[in-house]
Amino acid sequence: MDRDLIDRAKRGDRDAFTALVLEFGDRLYSVAYRILRDASRAEDAVQQTFLTAWRELRRLRDDDRLEAWLYRLLVNACYAEARHTKRWQPGLRLITDADIGPTTDDSQQTVELRDQLERAFRRLTAEQRAVLVMHHYVGLSGAEIADALGISPGTVRSRLHYARQEMRAALEADARLVAGGGLA
């Protein structure tokens, strides 16, 4: 990251801050979407992150920590968004035959697996989703996640453990329902 750019943004240079937004915006949105599972809520979380960053950037002591700091702001914004909308609201749209196209057994199985994973992921708390996304999507180590989120490494390990356990239980429950004829 260009230290001069960060320095200028800290001094209130809007063009420099815009360059930072362009640098990090897509990555932050991608993480927010994976945590919140809703495009508009993810956009709101990213917008809140950058608004907070603009206000607080002068207080950032170590420019090398900018990305970790932005992730922390983002995850906190995601937690706030999750609290505002406790109950999941489905984002439905009408699917036509043209949208579906020809299907094969493999593509049908892929869609079913993705749906099962989505249902399991939605059962997790926002905190569990955050550590799963940071670990499996962003590729951060446990120590890096702890640093980025401002929690202890033990808490990261615990959240990862319980998140995986919850995912496994949800997938097994779905498999039992399918085997019993409850879901198709």
Side-chain angles (χ1 to χ4, degrees), residues 93-103:
R93 72 176 185 88
L94 183 60
I95 298 176
T96 65
D97 289 340
D99 292 331
I100 297 171
T103 60

Side-chain angles (χ1 to χ4, degrees), residues 67-80:
E67 188 170 13
W69 180 68
L70 287 173
Y71 280 133
R72 180 181 293 185
L73 294 178
L74 176 71
V75 170
N76 288 336
C78 287
Y79 291 167

Side-chain angles (χ1 to χ4, degrees), residues 20-130:
L20 293 175
V21 169
L22 294 173
E23 173 77 23
F24 291 103
D26 288 343
R27 280 185 277 175
L28 293 178
Y29 173 79
S30 185
V31 169
Y33 180 79
R34 281 168 175 75
I35 293 170
L36 295 169
R37 314 309 278 182
D38 181 275
S40 63
R41 290 172 54 209
E43 288 172 359
D44 289 347
V46 172
Q47 185 175 19
Q48 184 59 47
T49 298
F50 283 125
L51 182 61
T52 303
W54 174 252
R55 289 181 188 150
E56 303 293 327
L57 189 58
R58 289 171 193 84
R59 296 182 184 171
L60 180 66
R61 293 183 187 139
D62 183 0
D63 293 351
D64 293 333
R65 307 263 316 115
L66 176 67
E67 188 170 13
W69 180 68
L70 287 173
Y71 280 133
R72 180 181 293 185
L73 294 178
L74 176 71
V75 170
N76 288 336
C78 287
Y79 291 167
E81 280 295 319
R83 281 191 301 270
H84 291 336
T85 311
K86 286 273 189 190
R87 197 162 174 265
W88 175 69
Q89 310 266 329
L92 301 176
R93 72 176 185 88
L94 183 60
I95 298 176
T96 65
D97 289 340
D99 292 331
I100 297 171
T103 60
T104 64
D105 288 339
D106 285 343
S107 67
Q108 183 65 28
Q109 288 175 340
T110 301
V111 169
E112 289 172 7
L113 179 59
R114 187 177 50 218
D115 288 346
Q116 287 175 341
L117 288 170
E118 180 68 24
R119 283 191 299 274
F121 199 74
R122 287 189 186 279
R123 289 179 60 175
L124 303 178
T125 66
E127 291 82 6
Q128 291 171 330
R129 288 192 303 256

Side-chain angles (χ1 to χ4, degrees), residues 3-23:
R3 288 180 175 273
D4 180 55
L5 186 65
I6 297 170
D7 240 12
R8 289 191 346 244
K10 281 182 169 182
R11 290 192 308 265
D13 183 332
R14 290 177 188 261
D15 292 334
F17 187 76
T18 298
L20 293 175
V21 169
L22 294 173
E23 173 77 23

Side-chain angles (χ1 to χ4, degrees), residues 157-169:
R157 287 190 299 275
S158 174
R159 287 181 185 172
L160 275 172
H161 169 76
Y162 286 111
R164 289 175 179 148
Q165 189 176 36
E166 183 72 24
M167 291 282 293
R168 190 176 304 111

